[in-house]
Amino acid sequence: MKTYARVILNIPRYQLFRLARHPRMLPLNLTVSVTYRCNSRCRTCNIWKKKAEEFTSSEFDRTFHSIGTSPYWITMSGGEPFLRHDIVEICTSASTHCAPGIINIPTNGILYQTIPGKVSEIAEACKGTRVIVNLSIDGIGERHDAIRGVKENFERSMKTYDALRALEYPNLSLGVHTVISRFNAREIPEIWSFFSGKDPDSYIAEIAEERVELDTVGSGIAPFPEEYAAVADFLIGKAGQGKKPGIPGITQAFRMEYYERVKEILSRREQVIPCYAGFASAQIAPDGDVWTCCVRAEPIGNLREADYDFGRIWFGPEAERLRSSIKRKECFCPLANAFYTNILCDPLSLIRVAGRCVSR
């Protein structure tokens, strides 16, 4: 398994890549959208309305082979990833070719009869990789169902949670993930309190975003800055209670830094630290389009048209155009997945994270 030490040693290379375009680096953080299909009808997401000629598992395999061992963190996103009958094969291929430290899979948990079995297969097949399954919960009971647009969603999700919690694999972690929106911002303490008694390995709350990928631009789903600030202060306070040793403590410190910086982004409406989307993080759409990030979702090329050669697209002229735009701060966002990579590559942010680790 790749170590954090190896990741840290590559940070100066990504900083140089952003500064001078040399050495050329493939992404450290890769999001793979395996489908737009979804069995939720969330008030914060319209991705289920989109159509795509989805990659086959064989096409993903060729792509992962071309990427090699650069990514440390791979997220298998959707839609609902477990609607793919071949999600086990896709994850196994990523683990085999890329040897990532982490494969993260978010899920709405509705398919409680099939998700635990598939997660078990993934954990068994990807023994050299930490498999993190994040269950998406936006409210308790009927409140969750109302936001997610599916009756009995919460009940089914809890059946999935209990079944996953019962699995015993040393490389498997179970988290709970909440999207903070205008529909539930005041309910985050209730959600946190409910799950604090159910022993998840992590609790993550990320702000609702207006993304091109989700077809939510102009939807007004994000909480007001003052609403988010109150939620962020609550979560920072909870994260600061008790010192966790090792990697869990470091992860918690990163999360606290993220909450603080999002408050700043909402206030200033600009990039508050350098963005490494297009440099250290990237996304692959279900049809093989490659994006620097899912907020802009502007294709820099299509893998089918590039004979599944990721590097050919990643180092091409369209990628360079978007990198220049991002570096000029022509966009800003609090996209959590990419933002943790931004923190990792920003010296001042790392100093603040280290300070939290030492002081707690």
Side-chain angles (χ1 to χ4, degrees):
M1 181 182 289
K2 293 181 181 178
T3 65
Y4 275 92
R6 181 175 173 181
V7 173
I8 294 296
L9 289 173
N10 269 328
I11 289 175
R13 294 174 176 267
Y14 283 105
Q15 292 168 336
L16 286 171
F17 182 34
R18 189 177 187 276
L19 178 68
R21 304 302 195 267
H22 184 80
R24 302 199 305 179
M25 301 291 289
L26 290 170
L28 173 70
N29 177 0
L30 180 66
T31 298
V32 182
S33 292
V34 296
T35 185
Y36 288 139
R37 291 177 288 135
C38 193
N39 46 359
S40 288
R41 295 295 181 265
C42 302
R43 298 177 70 181
T44 57
C45 177
N46 293 314
I47 202 168
W48 59 273
K49 296 180 180 180
K50 301 178 73 171
K51 307 293 183 183
E53 185 182 343
E54 295 177 357
F55 255 31
T56 64
S57 57
S58 175
E59 288 178 302
F60 278 122
D61 188 73
R62 294 180 65 183
T63 299
F64 295 143
H65 182 267
S66 79
I67 294 172
T69 59
S70 176
Y72 177 82
W73 182 296
I74 297 179
T75 298
M76 297 296 178
S77 184
E80 169 53 47
F82 288 100
L83 285 175
R84 289 283 308 230
H85 71 277
D86 53 357
I87 187 64
V88 176
E89 289 82 357
I90 293 170
C91 291
T92 302
S93 173
S95 180
T96 299
H97 293 300
C98 303
I102 293 170
I103 290 179
N104 175 54
I105 314 172
T107 176
N108 59 30
I110 291 175
L111 302 174
Y112 66 91
Q113 293 176 317
T114 59
I115 291 173
K118 289 185 177 181
V119 169
S120 181
E121 290 184 62
I122 292 169
E124 184 68 32
C126 305
K127 290 182 177 178
T129 297
R130 169 64 56 180
V131 177
I132 302 174
V133 179
N134 278 319
L135 189 67
S136 298
I137 300 290
D138 291 341
I140 302 302
E142 292 181 357
R143 283 294 300 143
H144 177 73
D145 297 351
I147 294 172
R148 290 272 162 168
V150 177
K151 290 182 179 181
E152 300 181 354
N153 189 337
F154 185 78
E155 180 182 346
R156 297 174 187 178
S157 295
M158 294 316 300
K159 288 181 180 179
T160 297
Y161 182 93
D162 291 340
L164 292 177
R165 185 77 287 174
L167 295 178
E168 296 183 359
Y169 290 94
N171 63 324
L172 177 63
S173 296
L174 175 60
V176 174
H177 173 274
T178 297
V179 175
I180 307 169
S181 69
R182 291 190 181 179
F183 310 118
N184 68 352
R186 296 181 180 180
E187 300 166 24
I188 302 305
E190 179 188 4
I191 301 170
W192 183 93
S193 178
F194 179 89
F195 280 98
S196 66
K198 294 190 72 66
D199 195 32
D201 295 308
S202 64
Y203 178 79
I204 306 168
E206 300 174 0
I207 190 169
E209 296 171 279
E210 297 186 9
R211 301 184 197 171
V212 172
E213 177 201 28
L214 304 181
D215 191 26
T216 53
V217 176
S219 62
I221 57 176
F224 294 109
E226 59 273 18
E227 287 181 319
Y228 179 80
V231 173
D233 289 342
F234 169 81
L235 293 171
I236 290 169
K238 292 301 182 183
Q241 292 178 355
K243 186 172 182 179
K244 292 186 177 182
I247 298 303
I250 295 172
T251 302
Q252 209 166 56
F254 266 85
R255 201 163 293 138
M256 294 165 74
E257 177 69 11
Y258 166 74
Y259 294 143
E260 287 283 11
R261 298 288 75 78
V262 173
K263 289 196 296 182
E264 195 175 353
I265 291 171
L266 295 180
S267 173
R268 291 170 48 181
R269 306 288 295 172
E270 65 179 5
Q271 289 183 26
V272 297
I273 63 174
C275 181
Y276 279 77
F279 299 94
S281 59
Q283 182 154 342
I284 299 173
D287 61 358
D289 278 348
V290 178
W291 304 332
T292 55
C293 76
C294 62
V295 174
R296 291 176 62 156
E298 297 178 41
I300 59 175
N302 185 277
L303 287 159
R304 284 176 173 142
E305 298 171 3
D307 197 28
Y308 308 97
D309 184 346
F310 187 91
R312 180 172 150 191
I313 295 172
W314 191 242
F315 300 120
E318 189 60 20
E320 179 55 33
R321 183 187 70 80
L322 279 179
R323 286 191 190 105
S324 297
S325 172
I326 293 166
K327 190 176 178 181
R328 289 194 300 267
K329 300 184 177 182
E330 293 177 353
C331 56
F332 65 92
C333 75
L335 178 63
N337 198 319
F339 207 88
Y340 287 113
T341 307
N342 298 346
I343 294 171
L344 190 64
C345 293
D346 180 56
L348 291 178
S349 296
L350 279 182
I351 290 172
R352 288 192 292 264
V353 168
R356 286 193 172 95
C357 291
V358 171
S359 63
R360 293 174 58 221

